Amino acid sequence: MDLRFQAGLRAIALAAAVIVAPTAPAHARDHDDARRAVEAGEARPLTEILEMVKDKLPGEIVRVHLERQHDLWVYEFRVVGGQGRVFEVHVDARSGEIRRTREK
């Protein structure tokens, strides 16, 4: 894969990872929080997490954000599966382990 394409993909993925609700204190406040978490090794870049879990998700990702839960960073994916079913999938941002999947 072209290196410029990979860099662009990482930038887009990081930007997508920090879509947050401004009133929810558990969410990363801005892209700087997410960047610091990745730089500190507390979270993997979204591109790496996507490579780890893409075949395990029950459909198409329509939203993602990074949030802090109980002193751990978690990527929360909103996934639309077959027949329009919507799932929320929580993935440990450091290990890539799927922690929880629930239908919305």
Side-chain angles (χ1 to χ4, degrees):
M1 193 180 301
D2 180 85
L3 291 178
R4 287 182 294 170
F5 177 76
Q6 285 180 344
L9 185 59
R10 284 191 184 129
I12 291 168
L14 183 57
V18 296
I19 297 171
V20 297
T23 59
H27 291 92
R29 298 235 187 272
D30 58 27
H31 68 279
D32 289 334
D33 288 344
R35 181 182 45 78
R36 280 192 290 271
V38 170
E39 288 174 351
E42 296 175 354
R44 290 180 187 236
L46 180 58
T47 54
E48 288 181 23
I49 296 295
L50 287 171
E51 282 297 315
M52 296 169 80
V53 302
K54 67 181 177 184
D55 295 330
K56 300 174 187 172
L57 297 177
E60 181 179 341
I61 299 168
V62 294
R63 188 182 86 185
V64 61
H65 63 138
L66 181 62
E67 63 184 24
R68 190 106 168 146
Q69 293 180 354
H70 309 290
D71 296 326
L72 296 173
W73 287 100
V74 175
Y75 283 104
E76 182 181 296
F77 294 95
R78 183 70 49 97
V79 178
V80 177
Q83 301 172 347
R85 296 170 59 195
V86 177
F87 298 91
E88 187 176 272
V89 181
H90 291 234
V91 177
D92 182 302
R94 182 180 287 168
S95 70
E97 175 186 343
I98 294 177
R99 297 284 197 174
R100 177 175 57 150
T101 300
R102 69 180 179 136
E103 189 168 358
K104 296 291 286 179

